[in-house]
Amino acid sequence: MKYVLRQLGLYLLAAWVSVTLNFVLPRTMPGDPVTALVGKMRGRLDPQAIEALKATFGFTKGPLIQQYWQYLSHVMRGDFGLSLSAYPVKVTTIISTALGWTLLLGLVVIVLSFVIGTALGVLVGWKRGGLLDSILPGFLSFVGSFPYFFLAMLALFGLGFELKWFPMAHAYSDALSPSMSWAFVGSVLYHLVLPAGTVILVSVGGWLIGMRSTMVGVLAEDYVTMAEAKGLSERRVMYRYAARNAILPNMTQFGMSIGFVFGGQILTEIVFSYPGLGFYLVRAVNAHDYPLMQALFLMITLAILVANFIMDLLYVRLDPRVRAS
């Protein structure tokens, strides 16, 4: 219990630092987004209109601490202001539209790459020196050396443009409207194959190699030798004794990998024009849309912190030694 409370305190501190940096950085940069927006407009606005826009986007001339408390109150309410690039649409409206697609793509990628890579790592670690152990680690390491976006462009050109096996853009067919029908769900899964498949293919090798290395070390432990000496079945020894202990480092890496997957997923969404948070983040950067950028950066940071905290809770469940600390 002390371990959980200690970790919760650390993650809350990290979340507060992230929120504070998200407030400070745009205000320490020269100028402000409203001035940049006005500079792009044809004609001129009177000073009163400019000040009104600055107040709308939270860039006022009041004391910094007052702005900070106002910003915190808005964040706690989930109010991130108006988007500069899609004015007067709210930032939360844009995020709510894109969040579902990013969660779908991200969860499919993380879960499948973790499950497939870990399962293959257990198999090649148990059968070390065999045919699979000679081929899979080297091949998947070679594939994993490619950047996400490079493999995505190859898949888009070969499987989408040349062979026309898969759609080249968007998250579902333009002829359909979002609904719970089988046609729409099937279209979503069909459009998900290329963007998810490319990221999974690059990611799975790391999970396999990490699990294999830990598995080989665990198999040399005395309790595994004792289990084999008792005459327990090979399946039980492999999963209940070896894999359960070998998976602990992978569980920690699972939470840490979310940030890296999101980083690669941003570029993948751009390649496939997948309407997720990464797609809108790049558009916001190009348009100097500071409110939208702030909200997206904060969401990604908090998502990584929450995922790591959940992994810590699972680690406590899987490892009694941590529970006792």
PDB file of all heavy atoms in Angstrom, residues 219-246:
ATOM      1  N   LEU A 219      14.916 -19.289 -16.834  1.00  0.00           N
ATOM      2  CA  LEU A 219      14.986 -20.745 -16.985  1.00  0.00           C
ATOM      3  C   LEU A 219      16.180 -21.346 -16.246  1.00  0.00           C
ATOM      4  O   LEU A 219      16.201 -22.554 -15.977  1.00  0.00           O
ATOM      5  CB  LEU A 219      15.055 -21.114 -18.473  1.00  0.00           C
ATOM      6  CG  LEU A 219      13.765 -20.905 -19.265  1.00  0.00           C
ATOM      7  CD1 LEU A 219      13.987 -21.182 -20.745  1.00  0.00           C
ATOM      8  CD2 LEU A 219      12.648 -21.783 -18.729  1.00  0.00           C
ATOM      9  N   ALA A 220      17.164 -20.520 -15.925  1.00  0.00           N
ATOM     10  CA  ALA A 220      18.333 -21.011 -15.185  1.00  0.00           C
ATOM     11  C   ALA A 220      18.128 -20.958 -13.674  1.00  0.00           C
ATOM     12  O   ALA A 220      19.007 -21.402 -12.918  1.00  0.00           O
ATOM     13  CB  ALA A 220      19.573 -20.200 -15.573  1.00  0.00           C
ATOM     14  N   GLU A 221      16.991 -20.439 -13.216  1.00  0.00           N
ATOM     15  CA  GLU A 221      16.734 -20.323 -11.781  1.00  0.00           C
ATOM     16  C   GLU A 221      16.420 -21.693 -11.163  1.00  0.00           C
ATOM     17  O   GLU A 221      15.922 -22.601 -11.835  1.00  0.00           O
ATOM     18  CB  GLU A 221      15.565 -19.362 -11.531  1.00  0.00           C
ATOM     19  CG  GLU A 221      15.826 -17.931 -11.963  1.00  0.00           C
ATOM     20  CD  GLU A 221      16.856 -17.235 -11.078  1.00  0.00           C
ATOM     21  OE1 GLU A 221      17.051 -17.704  -9.923  1.00  0.00           O
ATOM     22  OE2 GLU A 221      17.451 -16.252 -11.535  1.00  0.00           O
ATOM     23  N   ASP A 222      16.685 -21.798  -9.867  1.00  0.00           N
ATOM     24  CA  ASP A 222      16.505 -23.074  -9.166  1.00  0.00           C
ATOM     25  C   ASP A 222      15.046 -23.511  -9.122  1.00  0.00           C
ATOM     26  O   ASP A 222      14.743 -24.705  -9.207  1.00  0.00           O
ATOM     27  CB  ASP A 222      17.054 -22.971  -7.735  1.00  0.00           C
ATOM     28  CG  ASP A 222      18.567 -22.800  -7.714  1.00  0.00           C
ATOM     29  OD1 ASP A 222      19.212 -23.181  -8.708  1.00  0.00           O
ATOM     30  OD2 ASP A 222      19.094 -22.272  -6.706  1.00  0.00           O
ATOM     31  N   TYR A 223      14.105 -22.558  -8.959  1.00  0.00           N
ATOM     32  CA  TYR A 223      12.705 -22.950  -8.830  1.00  0.00           C
ATOM     33  C   TYR A 223      12.157 -23.556 -10.123  1.00  0.00           C
ATOM     34  O   TYR A 223      11.248 -24.387 -10.096  1.00  0.00           O
ATOM     35  CB  TYR A 223      11.828 -21.782  -8.372  1.00  0.00           C
ATOM     36  CG  TYR A 223      11.825 -20.573  -9.269  1.00  0.00           C
ATOM     37  CD1 TYR A 223      10.989 -20.499 -10.373  1.00  0.00           C
ATOM     38  CD2 TYR A 223      12.650 -19.489  -9.006  1.00  0.00           C
ATOM     39  CE1 TYR A 223      10.970 -19.391 -11.197  1.00  0.00           C
ATOM     40  CE2 TYR A 223      12.644 -18.381  -9.814  1.00  0.00           C
ATOM     41  CZ  TYR A 223      11.811 -18.322 -10.915  1.00  0.00           C
ATOM     42  OH  TYR A 223      11.805 -17.209 -11.716  1.00  0.00           O
ATOM     43  N   VAL A 224      12.718 -23.150 -11.275  1.00  0.00           N
ATOM     44  CA  VAL A 224      12.310 -23.772 -12.540  1.00  0.00           C
ATOM     45  C   VAL A 224      12.865 -25.189 -12.624  1.00  0.00           C
ATOM     46  O   VAL A 224      12.169 -26.128 -13.049  1.00  0.00           O
ATOM     47  CB  VAL A 224      12.797 -22.923 -13.734  1.00  0.00           C
ATOM     48  CG1 VAL A 224      12.458 -23.614 -15.057  1.00  0.00           C
ATOM     49  CG2 VAL A 224      12.167 -21.536 -13.692  1.00  0.00           C
ATOM     50  N   THR A 225      14.114 -25.353 -12.220  1.00  0.00           N
ATOM     51  CA  THR A 225      14.714 -26.698 -12.204  1.00  0.00           C
ATOM     52  C   THR A 225      13.937 -27.617 -11.261  1.00  0.00           C
ATOM     53  O   THR A 225      13.694 -28.795 -11.578  1.00  0.00           O
ATOM     54  CB  THR A 225      16.183 -26.608 -11.759  1.00  0.00           C
ATOM     55  OG1 THR A 225      16.878 -25.691 -12.605  1.00  0.00           O
ATOM     56  CG2 THR A 225      16.845 -27.980 -11.833  1.00  0.00           C
ATOM     57  N   MET A 226      13.540 -27.101 -10.098  1.00  0.00           N
ATOM     58  CA  MET A 226      12.763 -27.887  -9.146  1.00  0.00           C
ATOM     59  C   MET A 226      11.405 -28.284  -9.724  1.00  0.00           C
ATOM     60  O   MET A 226      10.952 -29.427  -9.539  1.00  0.00           O
ATOM     61  CB  MET A 226      12.566 -27.091  -7.859  1.00  0.00           C
ATOM     62  CG  MET A 226      11.740 -27.807  -6.791  1.00  0.00           C
ATOM     63  SD  MET A 226      12.531 -29.297  -6.189  1.00  0.00           S
ATOM     64  CE  MET A 226      13.873 -28.576  -5.223  1.00  0.00           C
ATOM     65  N   ALA A 227      10.763 -27.358 -10.429  1.00  0.00           N
ATOM     66  CA  ALA A 227       9.462 -27.657 -11.039  1.00  0.00           C
ATOM     67  C   ALA A 227       9.591 -28.763 -12.085  1.00  0.00           C
ATOM     68  O   ALA A 227       8.733 -29.648 -12.186  1.00  0.00           O
ATOM     69  CB  ALA A 227       8.884 -26.390 -11.670  1.00  0.00           C
ATOM     70  N   GLU A 228      10.665 -28.717 -12.865  1.00  0.00           N
ATOM     71  CA  GLU A 228      10.889 -29.762 -13.865  1.00  0.00           C
ATOM     72  C   GLU A 228      11.195 -31.097 -13.192  1.00  0.00           C
ATOM     73  O   GLU A 228      10.761 -32.167 -13.654  1.00  0.00           O
ATOM     74  CB  GLU A 228      12.040 -29.359 -14.783  1.00  0.00           C
ATOM     75  CG  GLU A 228      11.708 -28.169 -15.690  1.00  0.00           C
ATOM     76  CD  GLU A 228      12.915 -27.708 -16.500  1.00  0.00           C
ATOM     77  OE1 GLU A 228      14.061 -27.966 -16.043  1.00  0.00           O
ATOM     78  OE2 GLU A 228      12.708 -27.120 -17.570  1.00  0.00           O
ATOM     79  N   ALA A 229      11.944 -31.048 -12.067  1.00  0.00           N
ATOM     80  CA  ALA A 229      12.286 -32.273 -11.353  1.00  0.00           C
ATOM     81  C   ALA A 229      11.053 -32.936 -10.737  1.00  0.00           C
ATOM     82  O   ALA A 229      11.016 -34.163 -10.562  1.00  0.00           O
ATOM     83  CB  ALA A 229      13.319 -31.983 -10.267  1.00  0.00           C
ATOM     84  N   LYS A 230      10.037 -32.128 -10.382  1.00  0.00           N
ATOM     85  CA  LYS A 230       8.801 -32.675  -9.825  1.00  0.00           C
ATOM     86  C   LYS A 230       7.964 -33.386 -10.875  1.00  0.00           C
ATOM     87  O   LYS A 230       6.961 -34.029 -10.542  1.00  0.00           O
ATOM     88  CB  LYS A 230       7.977 -31.551  -9.198  1.00  0.00           C
ATOM     89  CG  LYS A 230       8.542 -31.017  -7.889  1.00  0.00           C
ATOM     90  CD  LYS A 230       7.638 -29.919  -7.331  1.00  0.00           C
ATOM     91  CE  LYS A 230       8.139 -29.400  -5.996  1.00  0.00           C
ATOM     92  NZ  LYS A 230       7.280 -28.322  -5.459  1.00  0.00           N
ATOM     93  N   GLY A 231       8.332 -33.268 -12.123  1.00  0.00           N
ATOM     94  CA  GLY A 231       7.586 -33.927 -13.189  1.00  0.00           C
ATOM     95  C   GLY A 231       6.392 -33.148 -13.681  1.00  0.00           C
ATOM     96  O   GLY A 231       5.482 -33.719 -14.301  1.00  0.00           O
ATOM     97  N   LEU A 232       6.339 -31.839 -13.412  1.00  0.00           N
ATOM     98  CA  LEU A 232       5.237 -31.007 -13.910  1.00  0.00           C
ATOM     99  C   LEU A 232       5.282 -30.931 -15.430  1.00  0.00           C
ATOM    100  O   LEU A 232       6.343 -31.061 -16.043  1.00  0.00           O
ATOM    101  CB  LEU A 232       5.329 -29.599 -13.311  1.00  0.00           C
ATOM    102  CG  LEU A 232       5.223 -29.506 -11.786  1.00  0.00           C
ATOM    103  CD1 LEU A 232       5.377 -28.053 -11.338  1.00  0.00           C
ATOM    104  CD2 LEU A 232       3.912 -30.073 -11.282  1.00  0.00           C
ATOM    105  N   SER A 233       4.129 -30.707 -16.018  1.00  0.00           N
ATOM    106  CA  SER A 233       4.051 -30.664 -17.476  1.00  0.00           C
ATOM    107  C   SER A 233       4.861 -29.491 -18.024  1.00  0.00           C
ATOM    108  O   SER A 233       5.051 -28.471 -17.348  1.00  0.00           O
ATOM    109  CB  SER A 233       2.596 -30.534 -17.922  1.00  0.00           C
ATOM    110  OG  SER A 233       2.053 -29.280 -17.514  1.00  0.00           O
ATOM    111  N   GLU A 234       5.324 -29.659 -19.251  1.00  0.00           N
ATOM    112  CA  GLU A 234       6.131 -28.613 -19.892  1.00  0.00           C
ATOM    113  C   GLU A 234       5.356 -27.313 -20.014  1.00  0.00           C
ATOM    114  O   GLU A 234       5.901 -26.226 -19.788  1.00  0.00           O
ATOM    115  CB  GLU A 234       6.578 -29.091 -21.280  1.00  0.00           C
ATOM    116  CG  GLU A 234       7.418 -28.091 -22.045  1.00  0.00           C
ATOM    117  CD  GLU A 234       7.864 -28.630 -23.392  1.00  0.00           C
ATOM    118  OE1 GLU A 234       8.573 -29.649 -23.418  1.00  0.00           O
ATOM    119  OE2 GLU A 234       7.483 -28.022 -24.427  1.00  0.00           O
ATOM    120  N   ARG A 235       4.072 -27.404 -20.334  1.00  0.00           N
ATOM    121  CA  ARG A 235       3.241 -26.206 -20.485  1.00  0.00           C
ATOM    122  C   ARG A 235       3.119 -25.441 -19.168  1.00  0.00           C
ATOM    123  O   ARG A 235       3.211 -24.216 -19.133  1.00  0.00           O
ATOM    124  CB  ARG A 235       1.854 -26.615 -20.997  1.00  0.00           C
ATOM    125  CG  ARG A 235       0.895 -25.461 -21.243  1.00  0.00           C
ATOM    126  CD  ARG A 235      -0.476 -25.996 -21.649  1.00  0.00           C
ATOM    127  NE  ARG A 235      -1.390 -24.916 -21.929  1.00  0.00           N
ATOM    128  CZ  ARG A 235      -1.529 -24.332 -23.108  1.00  0.00           C
ATOM    129  NH1 ARG A 235      -0.778 -24.722 -24.131  1.00  0.00           N
ATOM    130  NH2 ARG A 235      -2.404 -23.377 -23.282  1.00  0.00           N
ATOM    131  N   ARG A 236       2.943 -26.194 -18.056  1.00  0.00           N
ATOM    132  CA  ARG A 236       2.782 -25.540 -16.765  1.00  0.00           C
ATOM    133  C   ARG A 236       4.080 -24.866 -16.321  1.00  0.00           C
ATOM    134  O   ARG A 236       4.073 -23.750 -15.788  1.00  0.00           O
ATOM    135  CB  ARG A 236       2.335 -26.555 -15.722  1.00  0.00           C
ATOM    136  CG  ARG A 236       2.042 -25.918 -14.367  1.00  0.00           C
ATOM    137  CD  ARG A 236       1.461 -26.919 -13.400  1.00  0.00           C
ATOM    138  NE  ARG A 236       1.152 -26.288 -12.118  1.00  0.00           N
ATOM    139  CZ  ARG A 236       0.655 -26.935 -11.072  1.00  0.00           C
ATOM    140  NH1 ARG A 236       0.400 -28.237 -11.157  1.00  0.00           N
ATOM    141  NH2 ARG A 236       0.400 -26.287  -9.949  1.00  0.00           N
ATOM    142  N   VAL A 237       5.205 -25.547 -16.525  1.00  0.00           N
ATOM    143  CA  VAL A 237       6.488 -24.961 -16.141  1.00  0.00           C
ATOM    144  C   VAL A 237       6.766 -23.712 -16.962  1.00  0.00           C
ATOM    145  O   VAL A 237       7.231 -22.691 -16.444  1.00  0.00           O
ATOM    146  CB  VAL A 237       7.622 -25.989 -16.320  1.00  0.00           C
ATOM    147  CG1 VAL A 237       8.979 -25.346 -16.058  1.00  0.00           C
ATOM    148  CG2 VAL A 237       7.422 -27.175 -15.394  1.00  0.00           C
ATOM    149  N   MET A 238       6.451 -23.775 -18.261  1.00  0.00           N
ATOM    150  CA  MET A 238       6.757 -22.660 -19.152  1.00  0.00           C
ATOM    151  C   MET A 238       5.941 -21.416 -18.792  1.00  0.00           C
ATOM    152  O   MET A 238       6.478 -20.307 -18.745  1.00  0.00           O
ATOM    153  CB  MET A 238       6.486 -23.055 -20.618  1.00  0.00           C
ATOM    154  CG  MET A 238       6.792 -21.960 -21.628  1.00  0.00           C
ATOM    155  SD  MET A 238       6.751 -22.536 -23.337  1.00  0.00           S
ATOM    156  CE  MET A 238       5.041 -23.008 -23.525  1.00  0.00           C
ATOM    157  N   TYR A 239       4.642 -21.598 -18.516  1.00  0.00           N
ATOM    158  CA  TYR A 239       3.778 -20.442 -18.284  1.00  0.00           C
ATOM    159  C   TYR A 239       3.669 -20.052 -16.806  1.00  0.00           C
ATOM    160  O   TYR A 239       3.773 -18.871 -16.460  1.00  0.00           O
ATOM    161  CB  TYR A 239       2.378 -20.707 -18.853  1.00  0.00           C
ATOM    162  CG  TYR A 239       2.340 -20.701 -20.353  1.00  0.00           C
ATOM    163  CD1 TYR A 239       2.206 -21.891 -21.070  1.00  0.00           C
ATOM    164  CD2 TYR A 239       2.463 -19.516 -21.068  1.00  0.00           C
ATOM    165  CE1 TYR A 239       2.177 -21.895 -22.451  1.00  0.00           C
ATOM    166  CE2 TYR A 239       2.443 -19.510 -22.463  1.00  0.00           C
ATOM    167  CZ  TYR A 239       2.297 -20.702 -23.142  1.00  0.00           C
ATOM    168  OH  TYR A 239       2.290 -20.695 -24.512  1.00  0.00           O
ATOM    169  N   ARG A 240       3.465 -21.032 -15.915  1.00  0.00           N
ATOM    170  CA  ARG A 240       3.211 -20.716 -14.513  1.00  0.00           C
ATOM    171  C   ARG A 240       4.479 -20.344 -13.756  1.00  0.00           C
ATOM    172  O   ARG A 240       4.444 -19.546 -12.817  1.00  0.00           O
ATOM    173  CB  ARG A 240       2.529 -21.899 -13.826  1.00  0.00           C
ATOM    174  CG  ARG A 240       1.129 -22.204 -14.336  1.00  0.00           C
ATOM    175  CD  ARG A 240       0.161 -21.102 -13.954  1.00  0.00           C
ATOM    176  NE  ARG A 240       0.075 -20.944 -12.504  1.00  0.00           N
ATOM    177  CZ  ARG A 240      -0.725 -21.652 -11.720  1.00  0.00           C
ATOM    178  NH1 ARG A 240      -1.507 -22.575 -12.251  1.00  0.00           N
ATOM    179  NH2 ARG A 240      -0.753 -21.436 -10.425  1.00  0.00           N
ATOM    180  N   TYR A 241       5.605 -20.908 -14.149  1.00  0.00           N
ATOM    181  CA  TYR A 241       6.848 -20.667 -13.411  1.00  0.00           C
ATOM    182  C   TYR A 241       7.790 -19.728 -14.160  1.00  0.00           C
ATOM    183  O   TYR A 241       8.294 -18.761 -13.578  1.00  0.00           O
ATOM    184  CB  TYR A 241       7.563 -22.004 -13.129  1.00  0.00           C
ATOM    185  CG  TYR A 241       6.879 -22.833 -12.077  1.00  0.00           C
ATOM    186  CD1 TYR A 241       5.806 -23.657 -12.405  1.00  0.00           C
ATOM    187  CD2 TYR A 241       7.290 -22.785 -10.760  1.00  0.00           C
ATOM    188  CE1 TYR A 241       5.167 -24.427 -11.441  1.00  0.00           C
ATOM    189  CE2 TYR A 241       6.654 -23.546  -9.778  1.00  0.00           C
ATOM    190  CZ  TYR A 241       5.588 -24.362 -10.127  1.00  0.00           C
ATOM    191  OH  TYR A 241       4.949 -25.098  -9.161  1.00  0.00           O
ATOM    192  N   ALA A 242       8.055 -20.009 -15.424  1.00  0.00           N
ATOM    193  CA  ALA A 242       9.038 -19.207 -16.164  1.00  0.00           C
ATOM    194  C   ALA A 242       8.437 -17.911 -16.704  1.00  0.00           C
ATOM    195  O   ALA A 242       8.915 -16.816 -16.405  1.00  0.00           O
ATOM    196  CB  ALA A 242       9.624 -20.038 -17.298  1.00  0.00           C
ATOM    197  N   ALA A 243       7.363 -18.015 -17.493  1.00  0.00           N
ATOM    198  CA  ALA A 243       6.813 -16.835 -18.166  1.00  0.00           C
ATOM    199  C   ALA A 243       6.252 -15.816 -17.180  1.00  0.00           C
ATOM    200  O   ALA A 243       6.384 -14.606 -17.386  1.00  0.00           O
ATOM    201  CB  ALA A 243       5.728 -17.257 -19.157  1.00  0.00           C
ATOM    202  N   ARG A 244       5.644 -16.279 -16.086  1.00  0.00           N
ATOM    203  CA  ARG A 244       5.031 -15.342 -15.134  1.00  0.00           C
ATOM    204  C   ARG A 244       6.080 -14.422 -14.520  1.00  0.00           C
ATOM    205  O   ARG A 244       5.827 -13.245 -14.288  1.00  0.00           O
ATOM    206  CB  ARG A 244       4.305 -16.119 -14.044  1.00  0.00           C
ATOM    207  CG  ARG A 244       3.633 -15.200 -13.026  1.00  0.00           C
ATOM    208  CD  ARG A 244       2.838 -15.973 -12.006  1.00  0.00           C
ATOM    209  NE  ARG A 244       2.228 -15.074 -11.026  1.00  0.00           N
ATOM    210  CZ  ARG A 244       1.449 -15.474 -10.038  1.00  0.00           C
ATOM    211  NH1 ARG A 244       1.188 -16.753  -9.889  1.00  0.00           N
ATOM    212  NH2 ARG A 244       0.935 -14.599  -9.201  1.00  0.00           N
ATOM    213  N   ASN A 245       7.265 -14.950 -14.232  1.00  0.00           N
ATOM    214  CA  ASN A 245       8.323 -14.115 -13.664  1.00  0.00           C
ATOM    215  C   ASN A 245       9.079 -13.342 -14.727  1.00  0.00           C
ATOM    216  O   ASN A 245       9.533 -12.220 -14.496  1.00  0.00           O
ATOM    217  CB  ASN A 245       9.299 -14.990 -12.870  1.00  0.00           C
ATOM    218  CG  ASN A 245       8.683 -15.509 -11.590  1.00  0.00           C
ATOM    219  OD1 ASN A 245       8.618 -14.823 -10.587  1.00  0.00           O
ATOM    220  ND2 ASN A 245       8.213 -16.748 -11.629  1.00  0.00           N
ATOM    221  N   ALA A 246       9.214 -13.917 -15.913  1.00  0.00           N
ATOM    222  CA  ALA A 246       9.948 -13.242 -16.973  1.00  0.00           C
ATOM    223  C   ALA A 246       9.191 -12.058 -17.551  1.00  0.00           C
ATOM    224  O   ALA A 246       9.786 -11.147 -18.136  1.00  0.00           O
ATOM    225  CB  ALA A 246      10.272 -14.237 -18.092  1.00  0.00           C
TER     226      ALA A 246
END
